Amino acid sequence: MQRRTFLAGAAAAGLTVKSSAASAAPTGPAPALPDPAAYTTTTARLRSRYWIEEPGRLLPVVAEHARNGARLLAEGPEGAHYSAIAETALLASRIAFFDLSLRGPHVRRWQDLALDAADRARDGSLAAAVLGHMAFAPAWSGRGTEARDTLAAARERTTSGDAGPTLRAWLDAIAAEAEVRLGTPEAAFPLLDRAADTYAPPERPGSWTADGPPAWLDWFSAARLEGFRGAAEVAAGRSDEARATLERTLAGLPADSHKQRAMTLAELAATAVGAREPQDACRLLEEALDLVGVQGYATAVDRVRTVRASLAPWAREPFLRDVDDRLRGAVAP
């Protein structure tokens, strides 16, 4: 996705967010509330679209659905659709934060709506997932106490619900990522070890207690857990271990898992830099950007830029030009 597409998507997202307050003002007959069952069905469709559509096009659709969910939560009947409202608001925040690198109060407003709806649904697992996502922003901006406290609150929610091993393992994995982001990568490995001990791949999606995690928890797997470990090994300077771990990650990810494969390729490029193999690093970065071109993912572009900066000792080499040219046309915050 080219930069102009990203900017158009970000602008559309911004207009969608800004229009929420205006749409609440009485300007005529209020639109009918969504049907709860139809709302839940639409949420499931949007969940699957996340993995195949450009985020700049999808976010306005999800944000509109979240706004309808907020109205349904405030004015409609109680029911199981509260969990669908929480999932929709969480999805909006995920697209904005990870896919488009949008920062600002609207991301937190979507998360607050998600947490409120999950709590009203008495869905401790979904509430824990929302709190886990709330920990990313402080972890990525160096606010360690806030990040760790938020993750502790997420774990607390799992004690009052039916959280299974997949969610518990994911919470430990993102706690490990937080330590990496906060500059303490060695603290990540006990958390990753515990996550590996906890995680049990489900046979199939469905019932939380019988067949694995709920359908909304579709962003974590055994291969993704390996990816968290590989990134921690890169940050800790364990380049040889990281390369082996990340190659296992890449082998375990589905071919159409464009976002995570792009992240993994960028981390593999970092191991090549550590091994003083700059041409191999550039090849891997270009492969990552190929995947970003299929489906924009700004978090991966950020990582590519960071690894490219580490190639400064080879700045005069011609093989860097292609990467730089590609980066100039890539999605960027």
Side-chain angles (χ1 to χ4, degrees):
M1 184 167 61
Q2 297 299 311
R3 183 178 182 84
R4 61 179 177 272
T5 306
F6 163 74
L7 291 173
L15 288 170
T16 301
V17 173
K18 291 173 184 175
S19 66
S20 60
S23 65
T27 57
L33 286 175
D35 173 71
Y39 187 92
T40 300
T41 299
T42 300
T43 297
R45 286 201 299 267
L46 292 174
R47 179 196 312 137
S48 63
R49 287 172 63 182
Y50 173 74
W51 300 107
I52 59 175
E53 290 196 22
E54 286 189 359
R57 295 177 180 175
L58 183 59
L59 179 56
V61 178
V62 177
E64 178 69 20
H65 194 52
R67 275 205 309 281
N68 287 334
R71 291 181 54 238
L72 192 56
L73 190 68
E75 305 169 30
E78 296 183 3
H81 60 280
Y82 280 4
S83 290
I85 296 168
E87 179 186 345
T88 300
L90 178 59
L91 179 60
S93 75
R94 283 167 50 81
I95 297 170
F97 188 86
F98 296 112
D99 295 68
L100 295 173
S101 282
L102 299 179
R103 302 291 186 263
H106 54 279
V107 175
R108 182 56 186 253
R109 284 199 297 269
W110 280 320
Q111 292 172 337
D112 287 341
L113 171 60
L115 186 59
D116 184 21
D119 282 342
R120 293 201 202 184
R122 296 180 176 83
D123 191 334
S125 296
L126 188 48
V130 174
L131 283 163
H133 282 85
M134 286 179 168
F136 281 103
W140 289 20
S141 58
R143 306 195 309 272
T145 299
E146 182 183 347
R148 294 182 182 108
D149 287 349
T150 304
L151 286 163
R155 290 192 187 96
E156 181 64 26
R157 296 301 179 97
T158 67
T159 66
S160 60
D162 61 350
T166 305
L167 179 63
R168 295 179 189 276
W170 175 72
L171 288 172
D172 279 335
I174 63 171
E177 179 178 338
E179 296 300 334
V180 170
R181 295 274 183 170
L182 293 166
T184 53
E186 291 297 337
F189 295 106
L191 292 162
L192 291 165
D193 290 341
R194 186 168 69 183
D197 289 341
T198 300
Y199 181 75
E203 293 296 326
R204 60 189 183 280
S207 164
W208 190 227
T209 54
D211 300 321
W216 54 259
L217 211 175
D218 59 355
W219 59 74
F220 191 64
S221 65
R224 287 173 169 82
L225 177 55
E226 287 271 59
F228 280 102
R229 180 176 291 278
E233 289 167 344
V234 169
R238 306 181 185 184
S239 293
D240 290 342
E241 293 174 50
R243 180 171 290 191
T245 301
L246 293 164
E247 286 175 349
R248 289 195 303 272
T249 301
L250 208 57
L253 289 169
D256 60 355
S257 184
H258 304 305
K259 300 175 185 184
Q260 195 58 42
R261 291 182 73 86
M263 288 294 296
T264 304
L265 287 163
E267 295 292 350
L268 273 169
T271 69
V273 176
R276 300 191 66 79
E277 299 170 355
Q279 288 182 281
D280 194 40
C282 288
R283 175 184 61 79
L284 291 162
L285 291 179
E286 289 197 65
E287 288 182 20
L289 291 171
D290 286 341
L291 294 177
V292 170
V294 173
Q295 186 181 20
Y297 193 52
T299 300
V301 177
D302 289 344
R303 186 58 180 144
V304 169
R305 290 189 187 282
T306 299
V307 177
R308 165 60 185 91
S310 71
L311 287 162
W314 296 276
R316 296 176 180 272
E317 297 294 338
F319 51 75
L320 283 178
R321 293 174 191 160
D322 288 341
V323 174
D324 290 339
D325 288 343
R326 297 284 301 280
L327 276 171
R328 277 191 283 273
V331 178

